[in-house]
Structures are given as structure tokens and as C-alpha cells.
């Protein structure tokens, strides 16, 4: 599903953000990526989205070599990948329903089915009754749930989450992680970048540690992050 | 982009304009000015050339011959003149006809008798002439020179044709209008592309999300193209309506104020004028709108 071979990324400023990364993630996996700030986690996410191109190495997603994707085909790669961020990135000039429906409009999905899909998605994240609310009036946890609904409504094969609980308290963080796990159980491959080691330890998923742009540990599912 | 998305993009384009009212308005106003000047320029120049055209039916020089010239010679001069490019008609007036005309003009019907004293001795016996009509005021000088050089021609009288000065006014108007038009076009283009750039900046976050969600670039760009077209069209419709409403009044005003010119001044009817001007205005304004949006899109919304 996701394959990186000897991937390095050095920013034009000369900062080496990722250094010779080799990584394989199977379809249907749930993977945590941990590491201190500045270790290169977000850079990795951006490479997977082809927001950035690697300085060297090869990235293959869903059988597509990212280096070979033409500009006008890039949207199709992006449709395979849902993404959520620490800061939610919702539109505050639109209500919850419109925020989620936006994802369908952006890919020019058939209009007739948008409504039922959005409502189903909102009920899945537990926000059906707030569909008319403006994101500003929601708690952080609720906003992130809207963002997840927006990321999932186009039914991507992969869901990337870059510190999705970074702005949330413990209880809300758990709810978000449960939602991501839920999506994974439905078959979506999920990659979560996080600082929340407590949750990482508790969930016992595959956990990849990055330090200074290198993978330093890769603990298999069911392994104990705490012990190592 | 899918065809069915056109409606959505259109609505988004209108929303862009609504969100960015002040700049959109500035763009529309400048565009209107631009089209308005184009309209002035077009109506003045076409009217002048219309008048010149009408006048050219009376564009004419008179050719007199050397004393005692033979009739065959006169005829061959007439043929040479006829051969000249742009000469539309050559009319011969014999000495007798000239005298008759002169009498009529000078003495009038009532005093015609007074002229009888000259009865048998035509005082204008050398006044036979050709009236040479030609199509274009600009060719007068060359034509006069050509005729003067023909053997047997004594003199060529060219009237001080007003068509000439009208042509000059027309080309002056053209030059001034084109300069103003170019300046306004540049300003309009600048304003439109800036308006759209601002719209893009305002929606920056939205555009980023759209890209991440997998929206096609054409779908992302289309609303801004719509914005350019709508601003352009608004900038054409307003001055067209104003010019349409004002044209008749201005024509009437000129005709009453300068009634002594009313035999020279003949204006084109507004419908004739607008048959060409309206499409011209729409093409220019929509073209500028499109160009403005593409300039901005190429700066800020390249495919990434
Ligand atoms: N756009 C950029 N230009 C230059 N350097 C960058 C850029 N983005 C990130 N970096 C640098 O790359 C390194 C990794 O950053 P990042 O991937 O954001 O780390 P993380 O997400 O793990 O905190 C850091 O040293 C950071 O300063
Ligand atoms: Mg980061």
C-alpha cells in the first residue's frame, strides 16, 4: 500500500529533514509515527501526499510511483488519501454539513447522493444533530470529528493524520483515536503522527519512531512501546 | 472538470465578486471607462468617416484648358483623367453651358436680360471645363498634380475640401483615443488581475484543502475565470447602455448648436453604430476579463 525506498528529503534551505527512509505499510494497517518536534514526521506526510517531492529515493502508493504521476493525474492520488491536521482546517464561513459536503463537491461527486453520504458520515462521527452548527461553536474534539468526516467521505484507501490530537484534552484525544481505529476496522489504512505516547502505549499498534530524519525503531502491532 | 460543475463554478465566481466588492467595483468602473472611451472613439471616428464618405460624393476638382484648344484634345484629356485610379466621374461643361450657369447664378432669373448684351460674344468662351469627381479626399493632391501635367491643361481648381480637415480631426481623435484606450486597458487589466489575485488569496486555505481532497486544477480555477468574465461583461454592459441612451441626445445637441454645419454633419443612426460597437465592446471586455484572470491564475494557481 505504502512503500518508501531510500527516501531522503533536504529542504532548499539545506535542512536535511528525512534521511534514507525505508518503510513498508500494508493495506489495512494502523501505524503510529512518533518522534520529537522537528524529527521529520510532517515532512514524511507531505511526501506521501506529494505536496513535496523527495530529494532522492522512491515512493510508491497504491502501486503508483509518485515520481511518475503527471500533474493532471495528481488529483486521483489525492482522492486515495484522506488527511487530517492538528488545527482541523475547517471553513468557518460554512456549517458542519457544508464543510463535509465540500469534499464531495471538490471531487465533483454526483450531487444526488451527497446529502445522504454526508449525513451518514456525520452520524458515524456522532455529530448528526449538529449538522447546521458553525465550526466556531464546536469544541476542539467536535471540530476534529468534522475534519475526519470530511477526510473520509470520499472513501480514501489511506487516512493520514498529522498530530490530530495535538490540540485536544485526554478524553477528546481518545475519542478521536477511537474514530481512527474505527475507520481502520472498516478497511482504511491509517497512519497517525502523534505526541501522545500514553495512547500509543495503550493501543499497541505498530509504532515507528523517527529521530533526526531516520527511522530508529519499528515496533510491530501488539508489541509494547513502553518496554523498548 | 466535469460539465455539470459549470453551475457550481459560476455561483462560486459570483460569490468571489460579492466577497471582494470594492475591488470588483473598481475593476468594473475602470473597464466601463475603457469601453466608454472605446465607444466615444468608435462613434466619433465612424461618424466622421461616414460624413467624409457622404461628402466624397461631392469631392471634385475643376479642370480648365489652354486657350483655343481643339475639341479632340479636350476629349483625350478627359480620357486620361478617366484612367486615373479613384476617379469616379468626369463631367464636361462646355463654354456655353458655363455661361448659362454663370448668368443664372449672377443675374438670377429676373435680370437675365441684362446679360443679353453679351449675347453673341461669350465672355467665358475659354471656360469650358471638366468636373472630375473622385472617391477619396486623400488623393486630391496627387490627382491635381497628375491633371496639371497633362498637355493642354491650363489650370486645376481644387476646392478647399472640408473632407480633408475632417479626416485630420478623425485621425487626431483616433490617436488620442488609442492612447487613452491603451492606458485604460492596461489599468483595467491590472485591476482585474489584482481583484482576482485578492480573491485567490482570500480563498487560499480553501484552495489548499481542495487540492488535498483531489480537486482538479480546472475546477479550482474555473470560479476565478468566471469572475473575470463577469467583471468584464459588467464593464461592457454599463457603458453600452449609457452610450445608447446618450447618443441620440448628443447628436441632436450638436445639430441644433451648430446648425450652420448641418449640411456637412450627417450622423449614423444609433442602431447602425451599435451593430458593430456592441460586439466589439463585449469582445474587448470579456477578453480583458479572461486575460486578467489568466494572468492572475498563472501567477498564483499553477498546477502543483
Ligand atoms: N518548508 C521548510 N523549509 C525548510 N525547512 C523545513 C521546512 N519544513 C520543515 N523544515 C525542517 O525540517 C525538519 C523536519 O520538520 P518537520 O517534518 O515539520 O518535523 P515534525 O513534523 O516532526 O515536527 C525540521 O528541522 C524543520 O525545521
Ligand atoms: Mg509536524
Amino acid at each position: 500500500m505504502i512503500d518508501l525506498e531510500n527516501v531522503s528529503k533536504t529542504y532548499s534551505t539545506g535542512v536535511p529533514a528525512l534521511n534514507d527512509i525505508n518503510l513498508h505499510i500494508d493495506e489495512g494497517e494502523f501505524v503510529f509515527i512518533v518522534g520529537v518536534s522537528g524529527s521529520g514526521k510532517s515532512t514524511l506526510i507531505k511526501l506521501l501526499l506529494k505536496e513535496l517531492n523527495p530529494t532522492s529515493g522512491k515512493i510508491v502508493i497504491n502501486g503508483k510511483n509518485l515520481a511518475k504521476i503527471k500533474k493532471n493525474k495528481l488529483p486521483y492520488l489525492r482522492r486515495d488519501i484522506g488527511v487530517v491536521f492538528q488545527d482541523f482546517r475547517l471553513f468557518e464561513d460554512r456549517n458542519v454539513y457544508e464543510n463535509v459536503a465540500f469534499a464531495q463537491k471538490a471531487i465533483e461527486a454526483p450531487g444526488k447522493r451527497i446529502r445522504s453520504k454526508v449525513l451518514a458520515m456525520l452520524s458515524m462521527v456522532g455529530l448528526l444533530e449538529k449538522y447546521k452548527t458553525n465550526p466556531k461553536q464546536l469544541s476542539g474534539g467536535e471540530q476534529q470529528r468534522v475534519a475526519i468526516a470530511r477526510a473520509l467521505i470520499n472513501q480514501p484507501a489511506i487516512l493520514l493524520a498529522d498530530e490530530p490530537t495535538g490540540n485536544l484534552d485526554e478524553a477528546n484525544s481518545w475519542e478521536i483515536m477511537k474514530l481512527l481505529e474505527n475507520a481502520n476496522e472498516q478497511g482504511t489504512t491509517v497512519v497517525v503522527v502523534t505526541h501522545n505516547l500514553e495512547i500509543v502505549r495503550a493501543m499497541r499498534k505498530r509504532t515507528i519512531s523517527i529521530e533526526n530524519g531516520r527511522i530508529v525503531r519499528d515496533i510491530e502491532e501488539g508489541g509494547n512501546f513502553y518496554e523498548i | 472538470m466535469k460539465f455539470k460543475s459549470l453551475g457550481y463554478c459560476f455561483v462560486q465566481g459570483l460569490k468571489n465578486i460579492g466577497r471582494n466588492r470594492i475591488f470588483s467595483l473598481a475593476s468594473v468602473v475602470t473597464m466601463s471607462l475603457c469601453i466608454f472611451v472605446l465607444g466615444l472613439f468608435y462613434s466619433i471616428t465612424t461618424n466622421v468617416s461616414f460624413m467624409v464618405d457622404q461628402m466624397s460624393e461631392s469631392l471634385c476638382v475643376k479642370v480648365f484648358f489652354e486657350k483655343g484648344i481643339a475639341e479632340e484634345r479636350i476629349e483625350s484629356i478627359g480620357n486620361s483623367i478617366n484612367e486615373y485610379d479613384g476617379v469616379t466621374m468626369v463631367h464636361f461643361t462646355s463654354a456655353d453651358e458655363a455661361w448659362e450657369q454663370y448668368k443664372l447664378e449672377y443675374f438670377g432669373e429676373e435680370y437675365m436680360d441684362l446679360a443679353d448684351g453679351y449675347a453673341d460674344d461669350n465672355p467665358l468662351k475659354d471656360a469650358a471645363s471638366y468636373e472630375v469627381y473622385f472617391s477619396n479626399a486623400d488623393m486630391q493632391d496627387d490627382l491635381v498634380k497628375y491633371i496639371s501635367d497633362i498637355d493642354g491643361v491650363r489650370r486645376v481648381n481644387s476646392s478647399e475640401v472640408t473632407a480633408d480637415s475632417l479626416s485630420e480631426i478623425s485621425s487626431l481623435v483616433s490617436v488620442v483615443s488609442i492612447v487613452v484606450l491603451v492606458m485604460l486597458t492596461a489599468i483595467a487589466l491590472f485591476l482585474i488581475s489584482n481583484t482576482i489575485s485578492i480573491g485567490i488569496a482570500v480563498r487560499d486555505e480553501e484552495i489548499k484543502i481542495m487540492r488535498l481532497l483531489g480537486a482538479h486544477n480546472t475546477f479550482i480555477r474555473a470560479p476565478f475565470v468566471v469572475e473575470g468574465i463577469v467583471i468584464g461583461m459588467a464593464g461592457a454592459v454599463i457603458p453600452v447602455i449609457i452610450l445608447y441612451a446618450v447618443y441620440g441626445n448628443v447628436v441632436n445637441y450638436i445639430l441644433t448648436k451648430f446648425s450652420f454645419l448641418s449640411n456637412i454633419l450627417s450622423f449614423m443612426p444609433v442602431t447602425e453604430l451599435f451593430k458593430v460597437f456592441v460586439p466589439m465592446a463585449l469582445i474587448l471586455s470579456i477578453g480583458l476579463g479572461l486575460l486578467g484572470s489568466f494572468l492572475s491564475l498563472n501567477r498564483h494557481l499553477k498546477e502543483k
Side-chain angles (χ1 to χ4, degrees):
Chain A
M1 173 88 354
I2 299 175
D3 262 299
L4 285 83
E5 273 176 40
N6 309 108
V7 171
S8 296
K9 174 68 189 179
T10 304
Y11 284 102
S12 51
T13 52
V15 182
L18 288 177
N19 204 335
D20 198 27
I21 299 283
N22 285 286
L23 174 64
H24 174 83
I25 296 174
D26 261 332
E27 188 171 350
E29 272 198 273
F30 188 114
V31 181
F32 279 123
I33 294 178
V34 296
V36 297
S37 186
S39 56
K41 307 179 300 291
S42 294
T43 303
L44 177 63
I45 296 288
K46 285 177 183 152
L47 289 178
L48 296 179
L49 286 164
K50 202 171 157 66
E51 274 193 87
L52 296 173
N53 291 316
T55 315
S56 63
K58 181 173 153 190
I59 304 174
V60 178
I61 290 179
N62 246 345
K64 295 175 200 161
N65 182 345
L66 298 203
K68 297 216 169 111
I69 293 180
K70 294 209 183 79
K71 276 183 187 172
N72 61 342
K73 299 289 179 224
L74 183 56
Y76 300 109
L77 170 77
R78 300 270 173 84
R79 289 174 194 193
D80 276 345
I81 307 175
V83 58
V84 294
F85 302 95
Q86 179 171 1
D87 55 358
F88 323 129
R89 305 209 190 162
L90 299 174
F91 304 129
E92 297 194 336
D93 60 345
R94 275 159 257 202
N95 65 30
V96 166
Y97 175 89
E98 288 159 343
N99 265 280
V100 179
F102 179 81
Q104 285 271 289
K105 292 201 173 132
I107 63 163
E108 302 173 72
K112 283 176 275 174
R113 290 166 54 210
I114 292 181
R115 188 172 175 81
S116 59
K117 277 200 216 168
V118 172
L119 296 179
M121 200 49 76
L122 286 178
S123 98
M124 192 195 91
V125 299
L127 283 175
L128 188 54
E129 66 287 7
K130 298 210 171 176
Y131 78 100
K132 271 186 169 166
T133 311
N134 187 287
K136 272 184 284 190
Q137 274 129 29
L138 297 177
S139 73
E142 288 171 325
Q143 289 187 52
Q144 193 60 295
R145 283 192 269 159
V146 177
I148 290 173
R150 183 177 70 186
L152 289 176
I153 192 163
N154 294 343
Q155 293 169 295
I158 300 168
L159 179 63
L160 305 178
D162 192 354
E163 306 200 20
T165 61
N167 286 351
L168 305 180
D169 59 29
E170 199 60 22
N172 274 308
S173 296
W174 267 109
E175 280 197 28
I176 294 304
M177 289 301 182
K178 286 292 165 200
L179 271 181
L180 298 177
E181 191 176 30
N182 196 24
N184 178 241
E185 279 158 9
Q186 312 285 317
T188 312
T189 306
V190 177
V191 178
V192 184
V193 169
T194 186
H195 275 132
N196 196 323
L197 299 185
E198 205 158 314
I199 291 180
V200 171
R201 279 174 201 127
M203 283 177 73
R204 296 186 157 240
K205 303 287 186 187
R206 181 180 171 191
T207 303
I208 295 165
S209 304
I210 299 187
E211 273 173 31
N212 290 323
R214 287 176 187 277
I215 293 180
V216 292
R217 264 187 302 263
D218 188 343
I219 299 155
E220 276 177 38
E221 177 155 15
N224 195 333
F225 179 72
Y226 189 67
E227 286 167 4
I228 297 168
Chain B
M1 195 178 89
K2 292 180 183 166
F3 182 72
K4 70 173 180 67
S5 303
L6 280 180
Y8 178 81
C9 292
F10 189 76
V11 172
Q12 294 303 312
L14 292 185
K15 277 190 186 164
N16 284 354
I17 293 174
R19 269 183 222 171
N20 194 1
R21 258 169 247 133
I22 294 183
F23 261 80
S24 301
L25 192 69
S27 302
V28 170
V29 167
T30 326
M31 183 67 90
S32 298
L33 273 178
C34 191
I35 300 298
F36 192 78
V37 170
L38 177 75
L40 282 183
F41 160 62
Y42 182 72
S43 44
I44 291 174
T45 50
T46 44
N47 267 310
V48 167
S49 74
F50 181 68
M51 289 174 203
V52 170
D53 270 356
Q54 301 234 311
M55 217 176 281
S56 28
E57 277 157 31
S58 58
L59 280 178
C60 161
V61 295
K62 238 173 172 168
V63 181
F64 296 96
F65 314 103
E66 274 163 10
K67 282 178 186 157
I69 191 168
E71 271 187 34
E72 306 87 70
R73 186 71 210 121
I74 290 180
E75 210 163 300
S76 87
I77 290 174
N79 290 337
S80 307
I81 294 175
N82 250 325
E83 279 164 22
Y84 194 87
D85 236 13
V87 168
T88 49
M89 193 177 70
V90 180
H91 178 255
F92 180 68
T93 309
S94 70
D96 291 342
E97 282 166 355
W99 177 227
E100 288 299 319
Q101 244 173 35
Y102 184 84
K103 281 197 292 189
L104 205 67
E105 271 174 33
Y106 232 80
F107 300 100
E109 301 268 6
E110 301 100 291
Y111 305 104
M112 199 69 114
D113 297 349
L114 287 175
D116 279 354
Y118 300 100
D120 298 320
D121 186 19
N122 181 354
L124 296 181
K125 66 174 183 298
D126 293 315
S129 68
Y130 279 131
E131 276 149 40
V132 180
Y133 293 86
F134 52 97
S135 55
N136 182 349
D138 297 339
M139 60 181 281
Q140 177 166 291
D141 290 349
D142 288 340
L143 180 66
V144 167
K145 189 169 180 322
Y146 171 80
I147 298 174
S148 313
D149 288 350
I150 299 173
D151 220 26
V153 171
R154 175 166 50 99
R155 193 154 56 84
V156 182
N157 275 3
S158 52
S159 50
E160 276 312 314
V161 216
T162 32
D164 238 359
S165 36
L166 264 180
S167 296
E168 269 164 33
I169 293 173
S170 173
S171 53
L172 182 69
V173 169
S174 301
V175 169
V176 172
S177 306
I178 286 170
V179 169
V180 174
L181 201 62
V182 166
M183 276 163 37
L184 282 173
T185 303
I187 297 172
L189 203 56
F190 173 80
L191 278 175
I192 287 186
S193 82
N194 268 299
T195 305
I196 289 168
S197 298
I198 289 171
I200 292 172
V202 167
R203 301 182 73 160
D204 182 51
E205 188 62 21
E206 189 175 335
I207 288 166
K208 277 188 192 143
I209 301 277
M210 283 176 95
R211 284 196 200 285
L212 285 174
L213 286 166
H216 282 298
N217 208 37
T218 44
F219 183 71
I220 295 174
R221 292 167 62 133
F224 300 103
V225 177
V226 169
E227 189 179 349
I229 293 176
V230 171
I231 289 177
M233 285 211 320
V237 168
I238 295 167
V240 163
I241 291 173
I242 293 176
L243 280 171
Y244 194 89
V246 159
Y247 183 78
N249 292 333
V250 171
V251 167
N252 278 337
Y253 178 81
I254 293 176
L255 286 180
T256 48
K257 198 83 183 172
F258 304 95
S259 54
F260 59 95
L261 286 174
S262 62
N263 57 328
I264 305 177
L265 299 175
S266 48
F267 289 91
M268 277 179 92
V270 68
T271 45
E272 277 302 305
L273 199 69
F274 273 55
K275 248 185 227 163
V276 180
F277 171 62
V278 171
M280 197 158 80
L282 281 175
I283 289 170
L284 180 72
S285 60
I286 293 175
L288 280 178
L290 275 176
L291 189 61
S293 58
F294 281 122
L295 284 179
S296 163
L297 287 171
N298 274 352
R299 236 183 313 151
H300 306 291
L301 274 187
K302 280 230 178 81
E303 256 181 296
K304 298 194 241 206

